[in-house]
Amino acid sequence: MENLGNRYALVSGASTGLGRCFALELARRGINTVLVALPGSGLQQTVAESRRQGVQSVGFEADLSDQTQLERLCERINAGFQLGMLINNAGCGGTRCFTDPVNDYWERIIKLNVWATTMLTHRLLPNLMQAGKAYILNVSSMAAFTPIGYKTVYGASKSYILHFTRSLYAELRPEHVQVSVVTPGPMMTNEDVCRRIRKQGLFGKIGLLSPEKVARISLNRLFHRQSIILPGWMNKLNWALMQVIPVAVRLPLVSRVVAREIKQRQQ
């Protein structure tokens, strides 16, 4: 089993869903963790569960979409912890018409999914590179492989994560830093996500996996230095189909399915 020695794995968005599963799976493997999540999101419960596995675990509450909080967090981590792994899991999204009069909805997706992932990686990379052998895992989505109406900004942000990771993989490979991206399909991570998956019908359930299984698969393949991680056979099939079906065909198809969420919300 791969181990980071006395170094820590940092997981963002670690209080619930996939991030929590990453934290607990790392703890089961004997890996110390630095866990980051929003204030008031129940992070200390994940920290306590991790410690019960016999590892060191420390929690930091911060809103990573806020530049000041992100910079302060990185300073504290670089000063106090030696990192061997970074898992950029924190993100947000949903299904909306782009014309909806929402306040900072689009801005928050871009700040958290794109900017925070980029800057957290950049600020913590010198720390990681001191390990001799280190790992970065970025969480994208199957939505990264095709444009989707009503997930306009979310899909674009996850496409950014995919290309950012692939480019960084090529750049850091000589430095012995393994950079991988996982592209999960639907996961039952919280009640809001469960409700949206149910509204999409059969299409929304295709490739459905538990976050526990996605976390386990992702870490196994990260340690085996697989650069693009497609968890589950159905997601692999969906990816293969998206490579051969022209975008002019799949764009209206998937957009109509996702639009069901909008229609059901308005009823």
Side-chain angles (χ1 to χ4, degrees), residues 34-170:
V34 174
L35 306 181
V36 179
L38 284 168
S41 63
L43 177 63
Q44 291 309 315
Q45 182 176 344
T46 308
V47 170
E49 289 183 66
S50 298
R51 289 174 177 170
R52 283 197 286 271
Q53 299 292 330
V55 301
Q56 298 180 53
S57 184
V58 181
F60 290 94
E61 293 187 335
D63 182 350
L64 296 178
S65 68
D66 182 281
Q67 181 174 354
T68 301
Q69 292 187 48
L70 185 145
E71 294 286 356
R72 188 179 300 123
L73 172 72
C74 291
E75 289 174 4
R76 293 178 67 184
I77 290 170
N78 284 329
F81 300 90
Q82 294 181 320
L83 297 181
M85 179 186 295
L86 168 62
I87 299 181
N88 283 307
N89 167 76
C92 62
T95 304
R96 287 186 180 273
C97 296
F98 191 68
T99 54
D100 281 354
V102 290
N103 293 327
D104 61 347
Y105 180 81
W106 311 114
E107 180 182 357
R108 182 162 180 79
I109 291 176
I110 294 170
K111 280 186 174 181
L112 191 55
N113 296 9
V114 175
W115 181 84
T117 296
T118 305
M119 299 314 298
L120 200 62
T121 304
H122 184 262
R123 296 292 188 268
L124 299 178
L125 186 56
N127 189 332
L128 288 161
M129 292 177 69
Q130 293 175 9
K133 181 173 68 173
Y135 303 88
I136 297 173
L137 177 64
N138 293 329
V139 178
S140 181
S141 166
M142 289 298 292
F145 296 116
T146 183
I148 306 174
Y150 310 103
K151 290 185 178 291
T152 311
V153 176
Y154 172 77
S157 73
K158 291 302 185 178
S159 183
Y160 171 89
I161 294 300
L162 176 65
H163 289 282
F164 168 69
T165 306
R166 296 295 291 139
S167 301
L168 201 60
Y169 166 81

Side-chain angles (χ1 to χ4, degrees), residues 215-234:
R216 187 168 59 253
I217 291 171
S218 299
L219 290 175
N220 287 342
R221 296 182 185 174
L222 173 67
F223 286 135
H224 282 91
R225 300 187 172 273
Q226 186 171 325
S227 57
I228 300 180
I229 301 167
L230 289 158
W233 68 268
M234 184 57 75

Side-chain angles (χ1 to χ4, degrees), residues 186 188 197-209 234:
M188 295 292 196
I197 289 172
R198 287 193 291 267
K199 286 179 178 179
Q200 291 179 21
L202 178 62
F203 180 87
K205 298 176 183 178
I206 294 175
L208 184 64
L209 293 173
M234 184 57 75

